[in-house]
């Protein structure tokens, strides 16, 4: 997968798959899968660091995690999230942050937010760095949105988001994430732009789908948004393995002589 594969896949009506990844060991596993691309999402602030929102992700955190993922997944196309306010303090500051993520190993950056981001997106794209947009529910604006709510439910908001998608395309975005919008809006935006849309909670008609790796692996049974499909029950698998190890240690069954140095 390279930058041209995104538009080629949309033209060929081939769906694009993307999963998040934050660390080296899971990156090594993903490098050996068929998944099209990896997102080092700022959701790592919640999933890895235990904060209550992505607002806590910093450029230092993103840089470290991008580098770890790149070392584990040398063959994958990696998109790195620009964290909270990293694009909002002037173009020069944004470019310094972009530079850090690209040097850490990203192939592209993702920027949340609508038309107010157009000037900075244009500058980044003109500087030679591919940019993925992100519309709908944009978790960095959680305080403005008043919670994790489906966006674009009424016609007025739906047309604002559709216009924003066109503006991001015109600014040079090579793809756009659509998060938590009604099926009809996901489909309408997908038809309104030439670049691929990658949905999460945006229905089946987007050009691709993205999920948080830990969510699709079923690490947290308490987290069950409508859009999530779990492909494994990793929590029980991991608990079972660790409890098995504990029982073997307690019963003196680990290690065996074959697992010991003579
Ligand atoms: O940070 C993230 O995980 C994301 C996805 C939900 C698209 O932006």
């Amino acid at each position: 997968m390279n930058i041209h594969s995104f538009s080629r896949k949309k033209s060929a009506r081939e769906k694009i798959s993307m999963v998040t990844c934050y660390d080296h060991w899971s990156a090594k596993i993903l490098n050996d899968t068929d998944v099209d691309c990896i997102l080092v999402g700022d959701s790592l602030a919640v999933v890895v660091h235990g904060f209550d929102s992505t607002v806590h992700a910093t450029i230092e955190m993103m840089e470290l995690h991008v580098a770890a993922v790149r070392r584990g997944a040398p063959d994958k196309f990696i998109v790195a999230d620009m964290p909270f306010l990293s694009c909002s303090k002037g173009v020069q500051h944004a470019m310094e942050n972009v530079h850090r993520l690209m040097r850490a190993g990203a192939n592209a950056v993702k920027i949340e937010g609508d038309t107010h981001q157009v000037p900075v997106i244009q500058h980044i794209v003109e500087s030679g760095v591919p940019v993925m947009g992100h519309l709908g529910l944009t978790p960095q604006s959680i305080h403005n949105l008043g919670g994790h709510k489906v966006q674009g439910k009424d016609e007025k908001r739906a047309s604002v988001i559709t216009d924003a998608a066109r503006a991001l395309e015109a600014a040079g975005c090579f793809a756009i994430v659509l998060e938590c919008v009604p099926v009809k809006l996901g489909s309408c935006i997908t038809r309104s732009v030439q670049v691929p849309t990658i949905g999460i909670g945006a229905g089946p008609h987007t050009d691709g789908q993205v999920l948080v790796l830990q969510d699709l692996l079923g690490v947290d049974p308490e987290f069950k948004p409508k859009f999530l499909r779990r492909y494994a029950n990793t929590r029980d698998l991991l608990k079972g393995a660790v409890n098995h190890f504990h029982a073997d240690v307690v019963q003196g069954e680990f290690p065996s002589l074959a697992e010991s140095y003579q």
Side-chain angles (χ1 to χ4, degrees):
M1 190 86 174
N2 62 33
I3 189 70
H4 303 300
S5 319
F6 286 85
S7 54
R8 190 192 52 70
K9 276 183 175 276
K10 176 152 181 155
S11 311
R13 292 172 185 259
E14 286 170 27
K15 296 273 187 180
I16 299 163
S17 65
M18 180 160 84
V19 289
T20 64
C21 180
Y22 316 122
D23 56 54
H24 180 253
W25 72 274
S26 57
K28 277 177 83 176
I29 297 173
L30 291 183
N31 198 55
D32 286 342
T33 67
D34 298 330
V35 77
D36 289 318
C37 59
I38 288 176
L39 170 66
V40 184
D42 59 355
S43 51
L44 62 81
V46 179
V47 179
V48 178
H49 294 273
F51 289 107
D52 62 359
S53 82
T54 59
V55 164
H56 298 274
T58 63
I59 192 69
E60 288 78 17
M61 282 157 83
M62 297 306 302
E63 194 178 26
L64 268 178
H65 286 280
V66 169
V69 171
R70 172 52 78 206
R71 286 190 290 268
D75 307 326
K76 291 292 181 188
F77 190 93
I78 296 178
V79 181
D81 254 337
M82 290 290 282
F84 185 54
L85 297 185
S86 62
C87 275
S88 309
K89 299 177 189 169
V91 169
Q92 192 186 334
H93 181 246
M95 284 312 298
E96 282 159 14
N97 292 328
V98 168
H99 199 174
R100 289 176 73 160
L101 298 183
M102 298 304 286
R103 231 179 2 219
N107 298 102
V109 296
K110 175 163 80 59
I111 296 179
E112 281 188 18
D114 41 54
T115 47
H116 71 283
Q117 300 286 27
V118 161
V120 76
I121 290 174
Q122 272 171 340
H123 189 85
I124 297 169
V125 172
E126 280 162 15
S127 308
V129 175
V131 176
M132 180 178 275
H134 185 155
L135 293 170
L137 174 58
T138 45
Q140 291 175 13
S141 312
I142 201 70
H143 296 299
N144 230 355
L145 299 175
H148 289 92
K149 296 178 186 153
V150 176
Q151 301 295 308
K153 277 171 137 177
D154 61 80
E155 271 190 27
K156 198 166 159 224
R157 269 303 294 163
S159 82
V160 168
I161 299 174
T162 309
D163 289 347
R166 291 198 188 101
L168 294 193
E169 175 178 37
C173 284
F174 71 96
I176 300 172
V177 165
L178 294 178
E179 180 164 352
C180 287
V181 297
V183 179
K184 202 172 143 205
L185 180 56
S187 167
C188 166
I189 294 176
T190 301
R191 282 182 278 108
S192 304
V193 293
Q194 305 290 312
V195 294
T197 55
I198 302 186
I200 173 163
H205 306 305
T206 52
D207 300 303
Q209 298 290 331
V210 54
L211 282 177
V212 168
L213 181 64
Q214 283 77 355
D215 294 347
L216 80 85
L217 292 178
V219 168
D220 180 2
E222 302 301 311
F223 185 64
K224 35 189 174 194
K226 189 178 171 76
F227 63 76
L228 178 60
R229 185 180 297 178
R230 287 204 191 88
Y231 288 86
N233 182 349
T234 310
R235 183 186 165 86
D236 286 352
L237 194 75
L238 291 179
K239 275 176 63 182
V242 173
N243 283 337
H244 197 167
F245 164 71
H246 170 79
D248 280 356
V249 171
V250 169
Q251 288 156 20
E253 286 180 13
F254 176 81
S256 66
L257 281 180
E259 288 156 332
S260 308
Y261 298 105
Q262 305 299 331

